[in-house]
Amino acid sequence: ALGENGYDDYLYFQIAQSYQVLSQNEEAVEAMEKCFAMNPDANKGYMKVAIPTYAKMLRKVKRSKDALEHLLKYQDIINTAEFNYLLGCCYQECGENLKALLTFVKVTQMTDIDSLGENAYDVYVRIMMLHSMSGNQEGVSFFKQRLEEYGLLHGRKIVFQ
């Protein structure tokens, strides 16, 4: 039972995962908050999953600023495409477009970008959108070409209309 052993942080993580499966997002966030209050140590095995999962949960309940603050605590420890993709999304949602752009560009250069699945394509789209918003058509064209190349490498023909 909760409170009777040293694994309560992990139990709260599992409770949060269950709430997430049930689309009970507020409850999932509450359980994850308890998990991190008990153990913010990124080196504990399950935390490699818990850290980005918590950021995703916070974004679902429209708390991107909290998600950004959470991710920034771990940016020197975790350097995966998933982590940086989430960090870029949070920067963008918080209006920090230059930081978002730089973070997304970093993701395109990461060896584990394919682990993002469909979100790998989203990275390129976000980069093009941010370049477009800043009036940088050269940036849009460059990353449009990079997206087409990425698509071809993965058996997809990317067509722009």
Side-chain angles (χ1 to χ4, degrees):
L2 288 172
E4 294 180 10
N5 62 55
Y7 302 105
D8 288 352
D9 55 319
Y10 182 71
L11 292 174
Y12 277 112
F13 166 69
Q14 290 298 331
I15 291 169
Q17 295 278 79
S18 297
Y19 278 130
Q20 186 180 24
V21 168
L22 297 171
S23 297
Q24 295 178 333
N25 298 319
E26 292 289 344
E27 292 85 351
V29 166
E30 288 175 24
M32 202 62 103
E33 285 170 348
K34 291 177 182 174
C35 168
F36 278 95
M38 291 177 186
N39 178 26
D41 181 9
N43 295 314
K44 199 163 184 180
Y46 74 92
M47 292 301 266
K48 300 290 189 237
V49 173
I51 291 166
T53 298
Y54 183 41
K56 290 175 195 173
M57 290 175 179
L58 287 167
R59 289 179 66 218
K60 278 186 182 177
V61 297
K62 308 293 186 217
R63 290 176 50 191
S64 294
K65 186 175 186 291
D66 292 334
L68 177 59
E69 289 172 8
H70 166 72
L71 291 171
L72 289 174
K73 292 177 194 173
Y74 300 98
Q75 72 175 349
D76 294 333
I77 301 167
I78 301 174
N79 191 31
T80 64
E82 178 190 28
F83 181 90
N84 285 287
Y85 171 72
L86 288 169
L87 184 60
C89 290
C90 290
Y91 277 136
Q92 190 175 9
E93 291 161 6
C94 292
E96 297 187 45
N97 289 342
L98 180 57
K99 288 181 180 178
L101 178 62
L102 294 173
T103 304
F104 289 134
V105 169
K106 176 182 175 180
V107 172
T108 67
Q109 299 166 354
M110 298 184 82
T111 58
D112 67 334
I113 186 172
D114 292 344
S115 68
L116 294 175
E118 292 298 311
N119 285 336
Y121 296 94
D122 186 54
V123 170
Y124 288 97
V125 171
R126 287 174 182 266
I127 290 169
M128 290 185 295
M129 183 180 72
L130 289 164
H131 276 300
S132 179
M133 287 170 53
S134 68
N136 182 355
Q137 283 311 118
E138 283 182 35
V140 173
S141 297
F142 178 79
F143 280 97
K144 187 177 189 181
Q145 182 179 353
R146 297 265 321 266
L147 175 56
E148 289 170 344
E149 292 166 1
Y150 183 82
L152 288 174
L153 280 172
H154 295 84
R156 290 188 176 180
K157 182 174 171 82
I158 308 293
V159 179
F160 296 92
Q161 297 178 346

